[in-house]
Amino acid sequence: MLPVEMKKYGFRIRTRGGSVVDNLTIQGRDRDEAERKLRQVYHHCTVLEARELAEAAPADASDVEGVISLIADEGRRGEPEGP
């Protein structure tokens, strides 16, 4: 069985709360799969930019602690859920 080639995709998004998040790096077999994974974390976000990354992203490109704190901050604001 041949290994599945995973590619890295870089995203710049606007969260439903209006914050812009740069340098999100997500792996996927294709862009659709990477975007599907992105939307599992950032519900109702708007993709401002998406690109396939040629090489491995720098270590700080996917700051997991930053992502978690952003999600927590949005939850504390008590913003109503989108439709």
Side-chain angles (χ1 to χ4, degrees):
M1 184 171 168
L2 293 174
V4 175
E5 182 182 339
M6 297 294 278
K7 299 177 183 175
K8 288 189 179 182
Y9 294 87
F11 292 93
R12 181 172 180 257
I13 66 165
R14 183 177 317 277
T15 65
R16 75 171 173 229
S19 302
V20 174
V21 181
D22 290 315
N23 297 324
L24 288 170
T25 303
I26 300 179
Q27 281 190 319
R29 288 183 291 256
D30 55 30
R31 180 180 164 186
D32 288 338
E33 181 180 73
E35 192 167 327
R36 197 168 39 257
K37 290 179 180 181
L38 170 75
R39 292 183 187 283
Q40 288 176 345
V41 177
Y42 289 96
H43 304 282
H44 309 290
C45 72
T46 302
V47 175
L48 302 174
E49 180 183 339
R51 64 196 178 286
E52 184 177 333
L53 302 176
E55 305 229 353
D60 65 346
S62 57
D63 177 12
V64 175
E65 287 183 22
V67 170
I68 291 169
S69 68
L70 242 173
I71 293 169
D73 288 346
E74 282 192 13
R76 281 188 221 117
R77 284 189 216 151
E79 296 175 359
E81 289 286 314

